[in-house]
Structure formats: structure tokens, C-alpha cells
Amino acid sequence: MRSVRWVMLFMAYLVLLAGCGTRYATMRGANGEDLMLLGHDPVAYFTVGKPTRGYPNIREDHDGVTFYFASEGNRELFRKEPEKYFPQYGAYCSSGAAFAVKLGHDPTEFIIRNGKIYFFGDVLGKEAWLLDPDWNIKYGDQTWPEAKD
């Protein structure tokens, strides 16, 4: 029984570290691409204010990853200013970023603050981050350049 517990703990540890080797929180898309935001349109968070699914036939590659868009107009906005719409901390959970920990994200849990978009693994991570967003951004910005690679 004890060895089963250790195996389970080890497997949980491996799952936690699964994202550590990748620069951005992606999944494999239908066409084999490294897809960001589980296919949600990054521009729509700013223009519509909510998660909106993009279409695989309206896509844009940027910095080795692929984004899907809900419209041609949104794709054009992204093409003009990709850094404006690119998720902070590679779309990893912003609560973990301040501690240099890459945690997965839920594209429905986000905050736009000072013109930047931050994602979270769940509502609890988001609420914890909101206790002191300035602190989280300060330390996330400090640790991310090293943690991302």
C-alpha cells in the first residue's frame, strides 16, 4: 500500500512538471500545431470581454505557437499588435508566475489589467492573485524571463 502511495505522489509530481519544459501553455491542435488558449481568440478577451472560441481556418502563427480567431478582423488586430494580445507569462497561471512555477490555465479565468491579459488555473488561483495583483505582477515579471525557458 505504501509503494502505491509513492507511485501516485511521483505521478502527480510529473504532471505538475509537465509544463516546465515548454515556453508557452499550449496543446496539440487538430492540425498538429502548438495551439494557445485551447483555441480561444486572444483579441476577443479585449473586444468582447469574454472567452470566445476561434476557428481553425482563421489562424495566425506567432513566436512558434498558433492562435485561432473568431473573425478576420480580430486576426488583423492581432497581426498589427501581437504583443498587446499575447497572454502574460505564456498563458501559464499568473498565480504561479510570481513563484516561477508553471501551472496550467483555464481560458475562462482571466483578468485584463493595465492593458495586459493574465490567465489563471482556476477561480481560486484568480482570487488569490487578486488579493495583491501589484505584488503578483512585480514578482511574476521578475521571475518569468528565467522561468519561461
Side-chain angles (χ1 to χ4, degrees), residues 95-118:
S95 289
F99 303 97
V101 177
K102 290 181 177 178
L103 301 171
H105 76 285
D106 175 348
T108 66
E109 295 299 331
F110 71 98
I111 291 285
I112 296 175
R113 184 175 173 90
N114 299 326
K116 297 180 179 183
I117 189 162
Y118 299 87

Side-chain angles (χ1 to χ4, degrees), residues 9-148:
L9 281 171
F10 181 70
M11 290 178 67
Y13 177 73
L14 290 177
V15 167
L16 180 65
L17 292 179
C20 289
T22 60
R23 187 174 204 184
Y24 302 119
T26 61
M27 63 171 273
R28 189 66 58 195
N31 299 315
E33 73 271 64
D34 288 325
L35 183 63
M36 290 288 287
L37 305 176
L38 302 177
H40 289 80
D41 181 334
V43 175
Y45 290 99
F46 292 87
T47 59
V48 181
K50 65 180 183 176
T52 305
R53 289 271 183 196
Y55 298 102
N57 61 324
I58 308 174
R59 57 182 278 165
E60 183 72 19
D61 296 327
H62 179 76
D63 201 20
V65 295
T66 301
F67 290 92
Y68 291 169
F69 297 90
S71 70
E72 289 288 343
N74 282 4
R75 179 167 63 178
E76 285 306 312
L77 287 171
F78 183 86
R79 282 180 176 166
K80 290 177 184 173
E81 294 183 276
E83 296 310 313
K84 176 180 179 178
Y85 301 106
F86 205 90
Q88 296 301 296
Y89 316 125
Y92 284 105
C93 178
S94 295
S95 289
F99 303 97
V101 177
K102 290 181 177 178
L103 301 171
H105 76 285
D106 175 348
T108 66
E109 295 299 331
F110 71 98
I111 291 285
I112 296 175
R113 184 175 173 90
N114 299 326
K116 297 180 179 183
I117 189 162
Y118 299 87
F119 286 94
F120 304 93
D122 58 25
V123 69
L124 294 176
K126 179 179 173 182
E127 292 301 318
W129 187 88
L130 285 170
L131 292 173
D132 195 346
D134 292 332
W135 185 93
N136 283 291
I137 291 169
K138 176 183 176 184
Y139 288 101
D141 289 352
Q142 285 179 8
T143 63
W144 181 248
E146 187 174 329
K148 71 180 176 184

